[in-house]
Amino acid sequence: PYTTLFRSVLPLNYPPCDTTIDILYAVSFSVKYKFDKIIIMKNFDILKKIYERLSNEVDEMKFSLPVVSVYNPLNYAHEGFEKYLRYSEGKKRVVFLGMNPGPWGMAQTGVPFGEVEAVKNFLGIKDLMIVPPQNENPLYPVKGLGCKRSEVSGKRLWGFFQEQYKTAEKFFAEHFVLNYCPLLFLAESEKNRVRNFTPDKIKKEEREKLFAYCDLCLKNVIEVFEPEYVVGIGNFAEQRAKISLEGMNLKVIKILHPSPASPQSNKNWGEKALEQLKIYDCL
């Protein structure tokens, strides 16, 4: 009778309570360590706390050149992310994992791969209050749902899910989409041009600290969802999932990233992704 909707307020690394024994153990844990009460929490509440912690941790970090601007949409676009988390209830058989926010997707809306039209029309998020980050770069302005540019990766990904499931409710019944890293990096090139800069390219010591935060966050989130599969969207996400989730009872697989920067993705990306997912029955 107990499901993943039942949770106790314990340290974030305490495993989810899914059985009578677990819940009784949580109660005894609470008594032993003098917690005042046990509160039953939904996935939304737990995930919100997990990501608030991650957001606070990465906000304290400093990044070296060539990075000139860092956007944290978990902070300035938290309303969009929290509206997206309303789809998080229940176990998820398959979790899709991306790399980090794109400048015209999650950086605008707070939603992973959050291309504006997909967010409005498929996810049904039509009203957002977005306050641009203080270090906003004029070449990459944050306009929220008013952004006129389209994030191609997000348009392809959410368009694919809409084609397969027709409604967001049917998709989220067993699936969810996350990003590994919450930050968008903008860097200055040798020609003094500002460009999107992926987290695997930042300096080693900064990257290792950032990835340690992201690894723990991903593990905590996966403990909430208890999926059978984690699908890395591209090589980077697959590799980080394998490292972060080592020893957990699930399979990590990969699909081709829908980015237009990948020549393979620019012709029939949806058909290729469908073939890859059907191999593992991830639809």
Side-chain angles (χ1 to χ4, degrees), residues 61-156:
M61 293 190 65
K62 304 294 181 184
F63 297 94
S64 307
L65 293 174
V67 174
V68 293
S69 293
V70 181
Y71 292 11
N72 178 8
L74 293 181
N75 187 340
Y76 66 83
H78 64 89
E79 182 181 342
F81 185 67
E82 289 172 15
K83 286 186 175 182
Y84 174 68
L85 287 183
R86 297 294 179 184
Y87 287 111
S88 68
E89 295 309 327
K91 292 184 180 181
K92 306 297 182 184
R93 190 172 65 87
V94 182
V95 172
F96 292 87
L97 183 69
M99 187 180 204
N100 71 311
W104 314 118
M106 186 173 180
Q108 300 294 327
T109 64
V111 176
F113 288 87
E115 192 261 351
V116 169
E117 293 305 312
V119 168
K120 292 192 294 186
N121 298 327
F122 183 56
L123 301 181
I125 301 173
K126 300 179 183 293
D127 182 30
L128 288 180
M129 179 66 71
I130 303 293
V131 179
Q134 292 183 347
N135 62 342
E136 181 184 40
N137 188 289
L139 296 177
Y140 292 87
V142 174
K143 302 293 185 181
L145 294 180
C147 178
K148 301 301 181 183
R149 295 195 59 167
S150 176
E151 179 92 343
V152 176
S153 296
K155 183 175 182 178
R156 288 175 175 172

Side-chain angles (χ1 to χ4, degrees), residues 23-261:
I23 292 174
L24 290 174
Y25 182 81
V27 172
S28 66
F29 186 100
S30 178
V31 171
K32 180 178 179 181
Y33 291 99
K34 298 181 181 179
F35 281 77
D36 292 334
K37 57 184 176 179
I38 293 292
I39 301 174
I40 304 304
M41 299 177 69
K42 292 185 176 181
N43 285 0
F44 171 87
D45 300 304
I46 299 170
L47 295 174
K48 184 179 176 182
K49 288 182 178 294
I50 291 171
Y51 280 105
E52 283 175 350
R53 181 184 66 184
L54 177 64
S55 180
N56 291 335
E57 289 170 336
V58 299
D59 271 347
E60 294 179 358
M61 293 190 65
K62 304 294 181 184
F63 297 94
S64 307
L65 293 174
V67 174
V68 293
S69 293
V70 181
Y71 292 11
N72 178 8
L74 293 181
N75 187 340
Y76 66 83
H78 64 89
E79 182 181 342
F81 185 67
E82 289 172 15
K83 286 186 175 182
Y84 174 68
L85 287 183
R86 297 294 179 184
Y87 287 111
S88 68
E89 295 309 327
K91 292 184 180 181
K92 306 297 182 184
R93 190 172 65 87
V94 182
V95 172
F96 292 87
L97 183 69
M99 187 180 204
N100 71 311
W104 314 118
M106 186 173 180
Q108 300 294 327
T109 64
V111 176
F113 288 87
E115 192 261 351
V116 169
E117 293 305 312
V119 168
K120 292 192 294 186
N121 298 327
F122 183 56
L123 301 181
I125 301 173
K126 300 179 183 293
D127 182 30
L128 288 180
M129 179 66 71
I130 303 293
V131 179
Q134 292 183 347
N135 62 342
E136 181 184 40
N137 188 289
L139 296 177
Y140 292 87
V142 174
K143 302 293 185 181
L145 294 180
C147 178
K148 301 301 181 183
R149 295 195 59 167
S150 176
E151 179 92 343
V152 176
S153 296
K155 183 175 182 178
R156 288 175 175 172
L157 186 73
W158 289 115
F160 172 76
F161 292 143
Q162 185 172 16
E163 182 179 341
Q164 299 302 315
Y165 295 93
K166 308 307 179 188
T167 69
E169 289 74 18
K170 288 182 179 179
F171 171 74
F172 287 108
E174 290 192 317
H175 305 78
F176 207 71
V177 180
L178 301 169
N179 271 329
Y180 171 75
C181 173
L183 302 179
L184 165 68
F185 297 93
L186 300 176
E188 196 171 76
S189 68
E190 295 177 356
K191 297 181 180 180
N192 295 322
R193 295 177 180 174
V194 176
R195 69 192 191 282
N196 187 11
F197 198 67
T198 53
D200 56 318
K201 296 176 182 176
I202 62 177
K203 289 190 175 180
K204 181 180 179 181
E205 59 271 21
E206 296 165 359
R207 184 174 69 242
E208 289 177 346
K209 183 177 181 180
L210 173 65
F211 285 7
Y213 291 144
C214 296
D215 285 347
L216 178 59
C217 176
L218 178 60
K219 184 177 181 180
N220 288 159
V221 171
I222 293 303
E223 287 173 340
V224 173
F225 285 139
E226 300 182 80
E228 296 175 27
Y229 296 94
V230 172
V231 181
I233 304 173
N235 294 327
F236 173 87
E238 178 199 28
Q239 293 167 2
R240 294 314 307 176
K242 286 182 175 179
I243 292 170
S244 305
L245 308 175
E246 184 179 5
M248 297 187 73
N249 185 28
L250 51 79
K251 293 181 181 179
V252 177
I253 63 172
K254 178 184 70 173
I255 61 170
L256 183 66
H257 198 288
S259 170

